[in-house]
Amino acid sequence: MPAITTLAPTLPERLSATCVLLALFCIPFSTALTNVFVATSLLLFVLALGASAALRAQALRAPPARLALALLALLVVASSWSNAPAPDLVKALGKYAKLLLLPLAITLAWRSPALPRRALHCFLAGAGVLALACYLAYFELMPSSRLGWWRVGDAGNAFAFKNHITIGILLGFAAALSLLKASYDTGRARLLAIAAGIGFGFPVIFLMQGRTGYVALFVGLVTLLLLRMRLTAPRAVAGVGAIVLLFACFYAVSANFKLRTDALISEVRTVDARTPNGQRVSFLQVGARMIAADPVFGRGTASFAEAYAPTARRTWPEGSFQAGVRYQPHSEFLLIAVQLGLLGTLLYFALLGAIGKAALQVRNLEADSLALLWAIYVCASAFNSLLWDPTEGYWFLLLAGCLYASATRFQRQAAQLA
């Protein structure tokens, strides 16, 4: 990254940063509002680039920014050899266009040192709205939308605004982030952060049926342990063992946790292609055959749905809704490998590696938050298409960009003082 400039940001740049914060606040509960603020931020950022030579000089200096744009460019090029229908191609390129947000967030946060901490606070505030809606749904007090703008669950699966998988990821991260913040705070602020962590984590374990949320919370707690404890091998084993014991207690006392865990065990034993686990197995099988057929450059952008369609028609009754769905493999790693082959997979992991490396260079709240974000995103991406999905993609790219800039800034300042 370049040296920190002292030139004041232009009005479009400041407004673009404000829209980033508003988008992060809206991510947990409104895709429509998030889209509005993201699009506005991008437009203002382009205007700011035209008005500020200092901003242009910094826009592509960070390795993750260049890698994100390279991955997007490869996806555009790979559409030329894809057999996907035109609507699928347009949809896929629209989804992957969110990669533009990573260089935007890195550049804005590098120019504004206060932006990363504000980004965390805005996301937590939005997560608070989401958690409150889940509690209201459990007590059947959450209003529904007559226009269908949001869905509301019930006492058995108390979700609101988003599906229970997405909510589990977001609230699992928010819970671990709050506990991480508590480890840095003191006094009343620490107690409030701990209370927030419990408040975010409770719906994941007790109120909803999203198994991905269990994984996100478990990974978050283990990452928090590794980041904040002075670990020896015995302490690490004891700490992870305590977290495992905690989740065993969750299994014993949470009806939803037990129900979903038992269902997974049953699905693994029966290997029924029409169960969620059986469907994931079929995704892996079909995806592996696609990768073997085109290992270097892949089958092209948006190619998975077209290749999987015959399997879906064989699995589900003719004419049923499930037989005609344009499926994605519920694994970002598999999806990238199918579309872009070895070349795109290496580029994607290089992007993740560049972000993760920055999280390990210094120890402060922002860098530790980046490590926490990275760990949950990478683990959940193994069995969810997070970059493809709008909410999870916005969540990761905007926060990762802001926190990457902060971690890099502290790393540079530490090097200058050494």
Side-chain angles (χ1 to χ4, degrees):
M1 296 290 289
I4 302 170
T5 179
T6 57
L7 295 178
T10 61
L11 179 60
E13 183 180 344
R14 295 197 301 272
L15 292 175
S16 181
T18 299
C19 287
V20 166
L21 296 177
L22 291 171
L24 281 165
F25 171 70
C26 295
I27 281 172
F29 60 86
S30 176
T31 301
L33 287 175
T34 303
N35 286 334
V36 169
F37 289 123
V38 162
T40 305
S41 181
L42 280 168
L43 176 61
L44 290 167
F45 185 72
V46 171
L47 295 175
L49 286 174
S52 173
L55 190 65
R56 291 194 299 272
Q58 295 180 22
L60 295 179
R61 294 292 183 90
R66 296 195 296 268
L67 289 167
L69 292 182
L71 182 60
L72 178 58
L74 182 58
L75 285 160
V76 172
V77 173
S79 64
S80 64
W81 63 77
S82 173
N83 64 346
D88 284 7
L89 276 173
V90 172
K91 178 181 178 180
L93 291 176
K95 285 179 173 292
Y96 286 123
K98 67 172 73 77
L99 284 164
L100 294 169
L101 297 178
L102 188 63
L104 175 148
I106 291 174
T107 305
L108 292 176
W110 183 259
R111 298 259 295 166
S112 176
L115 185 61
R117 186 68 63 94
R118 291 173 180 170
L120 290 176
H121 291 163
C122 284
F123 171 78
L124 287 174
V129 174
L130 178 60
L132 176 60
C134 291
Y135 285 111
L136 291 175
Y138 177 78
F139 291 106
E140 299 184 352
L141 298 174
M142 180 66 189
S144 58
S145 170
R146 278 190 258 176
L147 299 177
W149 288 353
W150 64 81
R151 297 179 301 156
V152 178
D154 53 31
N157 189 18
F159 64 86
F161 297 122
K162 308 287 183 177
N163 64 67
H164 56 261
I165 297 174
T166 296
I167 294 173
I169 294 171
L170 297 181
L171 292 188
F173 171 72
L177 178 62
S178 297
L179 296 176
L180 172 66
K181 190 174 183 301
S183 72
Y184 279 96
D185 290 337
T186 58
R188 183 177 297 179
R190 172 174 290 181
L191 295 177
L192 290 174
I194 293 173
I198 296 171
F200 288 132
F202 190 89
V204 176
I205 299 299
F206 294 97
L207 305 188
M208 294 185 302
Q209 298 183 10
R211 289 185 293 235
T212 305
Y214 309 155
V215 175
L217 186 57
F218 180 84
V219 170
L221 293 178
V222 171
T223 304
L224 179 61
L225 171 76
L226 298 176
L227 288 171
R228 298 300 293 157
M229 285 189 66
R230 295 182 179 178
L231 291 178
T232 60
R235 284 184 179 181
V237 172
V240 174
I243 295 173
V244 171
L245 180 60
L246 175 64
F247 275 73
C249 293
F250 290 156
Y251 178 84
V253 301
S254 170
N256 277 336
F257 193 101
K258 186 178 187 304
L259 174 69
R260 296 299 289 155
T261 304
D262 289 347
L264 176 61
I265 295 171
S266 176
E267 290 169 14
V268 170
R269 287 175 175 171
T270 57
V271 195
D272 182 351
R274 297 186 184 183
T275 65
N277 184 68
Q279 198 169 50
R280 290 176 190 273
V281 171
S282 72
F283 291 154
L284 290 173
Q285 292 170 339
V286 174
R289 291 196 294 268
M290 294 172 68
I291 294 169
D294 297 280
V296 179
F297 298 106
R299 297 286 293 270
T301 304
S303 56
F304 184 88
E306 187 71 9
Y308 188 77
T311 302
R313 289 193 290 267
R314 287 195 303 269
T315 301
W316 298 96
E318 183 178 355
S320 66
F321 170 78
Q322 293 89 343
V325 171
R326 305 296 291 175
Y327 288 99
Q328 293 304 324
H330 291 270
S331 170
E332 198 64 56
F333 307 146
L334 180 63
L335 182 56
I336 291 292
V338 165
Q339 295 178 107
L340 304 178
L342 179 63
L343 179 62
T345 302
L346 290 175
L347 190 57
Y348 179 64
F349 279 103
L351 171 61
L352 293 179
I355 295 171
K357 180 181 177 182
L360 300 178
Q361 299 300 312
V362 293
R363 294 276 60 85
N364 56 39
L365 176 60
E366 286 83 0
D368 286 349
S369 299
L370 179 59
L372 191 64
L373 175 72
W374 188 93
I376 291 176
Y377 173 84
V378 169
C379 290
S381 289
F383 46 91
N384 289 277
S385 303
L386 296 193
L387 186 61
W388 176 271
D389 293 331
T391 298
E392 293 92 326
Y394 287 142
W395 160 72
F396 177 70
L397 292 170
L398 287 176
L399 275 182
C402 291
L403 297 172
Y404 173 90
S406 178
T408 307
R409 176 187 299 276
F410 277 97
Q411 179 186 356
R412 175 176 290 274
Q413 290 174 341
Q416 291 173 346
L417 293 174

